[in-house]
Amino acid sequence: MSAAADTVVLTGGSAGIGLAIAARARADGRRVINLSRRPCPVDGAENLAVDLGDAAAVADAVLRVRDRIGARGRVHLVHNAAFPIADAATNFDARACEQALRINVVTPAELTAGLLPTMAPGSSVTFIGSTLSEKGVPGRLTYCASKHALVGLLRATVQDLFGTGIHAVCVCPGFVDTPLLDPLRARGPEVMQQVLGMVSYGRLLTPEEVADIVAFCLERPSLNGAIIHANLGQRES
């Protein structure tokens, strides 16, 4: 089956990594349905406005996506949207944590469960994790916890979809050149130099590099259950 017969359902396709994933999918001839509050500007992308932090809105989005997809086919679900917050064990806000976990963990699980009836063999589920899916840093308590949880979602999803012909992977980028790094940039060039000093190649990943990896994963059932690190090599600390 050709890529033109595939549908990519993507969260957070309006900017950054999600935008690059949408652009690559469209360039490969795939239909793209983006779920986010802001529209994806990629030509040909279909946008469904949804607050991914609102349970009722997500449930409604599931119905709308299923209606758009129609007959069961090859559907590639890419869980990209994330809510990054700066908190710590010593500075914890339960409500903010719950909001982040809803977007980063609960919504991906709900979308997967809700869209499975549309997903034929050859479909896939991709979780966009992080270097912080397998390590911790200070000041990112909830973000680290939620990205660790995506690895758990991956592993459980692989088990639950055993024998269905649907594969799942988790792509874990390192430092990517997106607006999410703006808080670090705002702290001055010396902070960014420290960041780049942690990367073997001395540069940031581009969103397009991550999109290339995601595009590769969509077509590779051999990667079922894989956790793929894409960080240009980071210094271990």
Side-chain angles (χ1 to χ4, degrees), residues 64-198:
R64 288 190 289 159
V65 172
R66 288 172 62 168
D67 183 62
R68 288 205 180 197
I69 292 174
R72 190 164 171 255
R74 289 216 318 183
V75 176
H76 302 289
L77 181 54
V78 182
H79 298 298
N80 167 73
F83 184 74
I85 63 173
D87 63 352
T90 55
N91 179 30
F92 181 69
D93 182 330
R95 181 165 294 185
C97 175
E98 289 172 351
Q99 181 184 14
L101 290 176
R102 153 57 70 175
I103 295 173
N104 297 359
V105 181
V106 178
T107 291
E110 187 173 11
L111 288 174
T112 299
L115 295 180
L116 273 175
T118 70
M119 300 171 72
S123 297
S124 68
V125 182
T126 301
F127 300 93
I128 303 299
S130 165
T131 300
L132 301 184
S133 291
E134 294 191 327
K135 65 179 288 187
V137 295
R140 290 292 185 271
L141 179 73
T142 295
Y143 192 72
C144 288
S146 65
K147 290 300 185 178
H148 275 64
L150 280 187
V151 172
L153 280 182
L154 163 73
R155 290 172 171 156
T157 298
V158 169
Q159 296 303 306
D160 289 337
L161 300 185
F162 192 91
T164 63
I166 301 171
H167 68 279
V169 301
C170 184
V171 176
C172 295
F175 296 108
V176 185
D177 191 5
T178 72
L180 289 179
L181 287 184
D182 286 349
L184 289 178
R185 293 187 179 98
R187 291 166 58 186
E190 65 281 356
V191 174
M192 284 305 300
Q193 284 303 312
Q194 291 174 6
V195 169
L196 296 178
M198 297 170 59

